[in-house]
Amino acid sequence: QFKYIKYKKRNTFTLGFLSNFRAQKDFFSFLKSLEILKNKKVHFKCYMAGQYVNKKNKSLQNLIVDFNLTNEITLLGELGNTKPFFKRIDYLVSSSSFGESFPNVIAESMLQGIPCICTNVGDAKRIISGLGWISDPSNPEKLSKNILRAKKYKEKNKNNYIELKKKVRKKIINKYHINFMYNKYSKVWKEIIK
């Protein structure tokens, strides 16, 4: 289902944020980090998607206006098919501040060859495991620095970025493949049955 997305040269650095509109996802810190980048004259585009992540959401719209990000952000709403979303972006950002265990969106992104910039909540750091950028939760300044680091990494050496795309996919396949997970669960259940 999640096939590798090949490198595509873009005129604009592009971020993705895929999450339902919930407090634990910390939309405020994410948007604040983008405001910091914009104030530093960093050019970017950001696609945001998920349940209630649309123009009808007045709370979200007000945040976007308050942070002066109207021209940088496109709201896509809830997606039935996420592949076109992932094809549009260079990196996925996850800014959760609490309440995460195993964020599926990080694994799904990496499986398609999209590296991640995340906060250290739940298993995010373990999933990324040195193949992305990790920030403290609720720290927009640190998150903005990591986004900028990721941008510079991509622009400095195209081949290194392409290699990173391949590595993040390989990491998920090797560590979280369904057969591997099945065997681990089977082992636990067999021990319990004994």
Side-chain angles (χ1 to χ4, degrees), residues 39-57:
N39 289 340
K40 291 179 179 177
K41 310 298 182 190
V42 176
H43 297 289
F44 61 88
K45 179 74 179 168
C46 179
Y47 293 99
M48 298 181 72
Q51 189 179 38
Y52 308 121
V53 183
N54 54 44
K55 292 179 180 179
K56 292 179 182 178
N57 185 332

Side-chain angles (χ1 to χ4, degrees), residues 27-38 44 67 69 93 95 139-145 147:
F27 279 68
F28 179 91
S29 289
F30 173 61
L31 295 172
K32 178 65 179 174
S33 74
L34 296 186
E35 181 197 44
I36 292 167
L37 289 173
K38 184 172 181 177
F44 61 88
F67 288 128
L69 295 168
V93 182
S95 60
N139 190 335
E141 186 67 43
K142 177 70 174 176
L143 185 58
S144 71
K145 285 179 181 177
I147 293 171

Side-chain angles (χ1 to χ4, degrees), residues 12-181:
T12 306
F13 176 62
T14 309
L15 299 167
F17 188 89
L18 181 58
S19 169
N20 295 335
F21 191 73
R22 295 177 185 160
Q24 72 222 53
K25 305 299 182 180
D26 201 354
F27 279 68
F28 179 91
S29 289
F30 173 61
L31 295 172
K32 178 65 179 174
S33 74
L34 296 186
E35 181 197 44
I36 292 167
L37 289 173
K38 184 172 181 177
N39 289 340
K40 291 179 179 177
K41 310 298 182 190
V42 176
H43 297 289
F44 61 88
K45 179 74 179 168
C46 179
Y47 293 99
M48 298 181 72
Q51 189 179 38
Y52 308 121
V53 183
N54 54 44
K55 292 179 180 179
K56 292 179 182 178
N57 185 332
K58 296 301 179 188
S59 297
L60 179 56
Q61 284 282 51
N62 289 339
L63 274 176
I64 291 169
V65 170
D66 289 345
F67 288 128
N68 191 27
L69 295 168
T70 307
N71 294 328
E72 286 76 21
I73 291 177
T74 300
L75 300 178
L76 302 173
E78 193 168 6
L79 304 176
N81 176 13
T82 59
K83 187 164 186 178
F85 167 85
F86 283 108
K87 279 187 169 183
R88 291 177 169 186
I89 66 175
D90 299 314
Y91 293 99
L92 177 87
V93 182
S94 175
S95 60
S96 296
S97 57
F98 68 93
E100 295 282 12
S101 53
F102 186 99
N104 286 336
V105 69
I106 295 174
E108 290 169 5
S109 179
M110 291 172 66
L111 194 53
Q112 293 171 91
I114 307 298
C116 299
I117 306 157
C118 302
T119 48
N120 188 13
V121 176
D123 289 328
K125 186 175 182 178
R126 182 178 293 189
I127 299 166
I128 289 173
S129 189
L131 296 176
W133 291 261
I134 295 285
S135 306
D136 295 328
S138 304
N139 190 335
E141 186 67 43
K142 177 70 174 176
L143 185 58
S144 71
K145 285 179 181 177
N146 276 341
I147 293 171
L148 188 55
R149 286 186 184 112
K151 179 179 187 290
K152 288 178 178 177
Y153 181 89
K154 178 180 181 288
E155 293 172 351
K156 186 177 180 181
N157 190 316
K158 182 185 85 170
N159 291 332
N160 284 349
Y161 174 73
I162 292 171
E163 194 60 33
L164 178 62
K165 284 173 62 62
K166 292 176 181 176
K167 283 180 179 177
V168 296
R169 176 175 170 81
K170 188 176 180 182
K171 168 75 190 296
I172 300 302
I173 290 172
N174 287 347
K175 190 154 187 182
Y176 301 108
H177 191 283
I178 189 68
N179 292 341
F180 177 76
M181 301 300 285

